[in-house]
Amino acid sequence: MNQHRSDLHALAAAYALDALDPAERDDFTAHLPHCEDCRRDVAEFGATAARLAAATAQEPPSALKQRTMAAVDGVRQLPPRLPANGPARRLLHGLRRKAVPLALAASLAAAVSFAGIAAWQHQESQDAQQQAQQAEQQLDTVSTVLAAPDARAVHGRATNGALTTVVSSARQNQAVFTATGLPAPAPGTTYQLWLDHDGTMQPAGFIHADGTVPLDGDPADATAVGLTLEPSTGSPRPTTSPLLLLALPT
């Protein structure tokens, strides 16, 4: 399939995500060595996708390993070897008879304890599952925007030194924000994103560390994306000077 030069420029994001059909990929691969803009866009889209993948990776809770290792230390692999007859065997038999009531009491106590641990682990598992679902939804949104044929990107640097990128798609009516080198916010604060609608700043979500997040709200009529430092619960309007005000791509 032959592509016009303007059409080929729009395939940079899909090429970086390996989302082109074979014919489109062949055409774009032939075009790439002759277009510096497309080579730069492919590198930037690829880096954004890699940062997103790293941001959604999750490690198991450290307490899980500690509990497992503690349990291993307290479990006997094999019973001690004892002669078939003798004082040691008779003593063991007597201790076992006397230990039955204590064992039952201990079993009940352990059951109550394990029930509490199981409930805590269940809640922890549900929380982790919910976080994974949210991360998957974000990944789907970001991938859709990056792979859109009309995806456009703009880049900027915040006053705190962070490098930022906004990728938007008019067809998908969505935009995503990427930050690299974002300093940790002061305790009790976080970074809040904004969409500028005719001079009125509308809340557009949060970004807490380096990574990529979808922007909340409708970017169709917005002219810029803002970034401010706000209380950790967020603000309905910016309360600090903008760290960034980046014009949306057209």
Side-chain angles (χ1 to χ4, degrees), residues 89-173:
R89 174 69 68 177
R90 289 193 297 271
L91 176 61
L92 179 61
H93 179 69
L95 289 175
R96 283 177 176 170
R97 292 179 60 188
K98 294 179 179 179
V100 168
L102 295 177
L104 289 175
S107 296
L108 290 174
V112 173
S113 176
F114 281 124
I117 293 175
W120 176 78
Q121 289 178 329
H122 178 68
Q123 182 61 47
E124 193 174 58
S125 175
Q126 285 186 323
D127 293 343
Q129 184 177 7
Q130 185 177 6
Q131 291 176 359
Q133 290 174 345
Q134 291 174 347
E136 185 176 359
Q137 291 173 353
Q138 286 194 349
L139 179 61
D140 288 343
T141 300
V142 172
S143 298
T144 299
V145 174
L146 294 182
D150 65 335
R152 296 291 183 268
V154 291
H155 312 281
R157 183 185 292 272
T159 57
N160 59 9
L163 299 177
T164 65
T165 299
V166 175
V167 181
S168 65
S169 166
R171 179 178 297 183
Q172 300 296 328
N173 195 30

Side-chain angles (χ1 to χ4, degrees), residues 1 16 19-20 25 27 36 43 46 68 88 98 100 103 119 124 158 163-164 166 172 192 194 219 229:
M1 178 176 65
L20 295 177
R25 187 172 186 85
D27 287 344
E36 181 178 354
T68 302
K98 294 179 179 179
V100 168
E124 193 174 58
L163 299 177
T164 65
V166 175
Q172 300 296 328
Q192 187 166 355
W194 308 87
L229 197 59

Side-chain angles (χ1 to χ4, degrees), residues 8-247:
L8 288 171
H9 285 302
L11 299 181
Y15 178 86
L17 296 176
D18 197 22
L20 295 177
D21 62 41
E24 288 176 327
R25 187 172 186 85
D26 289 344
D27 287 344
F28 189 81
T29 301
H31 163 76
L32 198 57
H34 309 291
C35 182
E36 181 178 354
D37 289 341
C38 284
R39 290 197 300 272
R40 184 179 63 251
D41 286 346
V42 166
E44 291 170 349
F45 283 126
T48 297
R51 287 196 295 270
L52 177 65
T56 57
Q58 295 187 15
E59 295 183 358
S62 59
L64 180 61
K65 180 178 179 180
Q66 295 171 358
R67 292 195 305 271
T68 302
M69 297 305 295
V72 168
D73 291 340
V75 175
R76 182 187 293 277
Q77 300 303 310
L78 293 172
R81 293 181 178 273
L82 294 174
N85 295 301
R89 174 69 68 177
R90 289 193 297 271
L91 176 61
L92 179 61
H93 179 69
L95 289 175
R96 283 177 176 170
R97 292 179 60 188
K98 294 179 179 179
V100 168
L102 295 177
L104 289 175
S107 296
L108 290 174
V112 173
S113 176
F114 281 124
I117 293 175
W120 176 78
Q121 289 178 329
H122 178 68
Q123 182 61 47
E124 193 174 58
S125 175
Q126 285 186 323
D127 293 343
Q129 184 177 7
Q130 185 177 6
Q131 291 176 359
Q133 290 174 345
Q134 291 174 347
E136 185 176 359
Q137 291 173 353
Q138 286 194 349
L139 179 61
D140 288 343
T141 300
V142 172
S143 298
T144 299
V145 174
L146 294 182
D150 65 335
R152 296 291 183 268
V154 291
H155 312 281
R157 183 185 292 272
T159 57
N160 59 9
L163 299 177
T164 65
T165 299
V166 175
V167 181
S168 65
S169 166
R171 179 178 297 183
Q172 300 296 328
N173 195 30
Q174 290 179 323
V176 298
F177 181 89
T178 296
T180 303
L182 196 64
T189 66
T190 192
Y191 294 105
Q192 187 166 355
L193 294 161
W194 308 87
L195 284 172
D196 184 359
H197 291 275
D198 295 327
T200 300
M201 304 300 286
Q202 299 290 338
F206 302 91
I207 185 165
H208 305 293
D210 286 357
T212 302
V213 295
L215 291 173
D216 296 339
D218 185 357
D221 298 326
T223 57
V225 172
L227 178 70
T228 62
L229 197 59
E230 301 293 337
S232 57
T233 55
S235 302
R237 294 287 184 271
T239 62
T240 62
S241 299
L243 300 170
L244 175 78
L245 192 60
L246 188 62

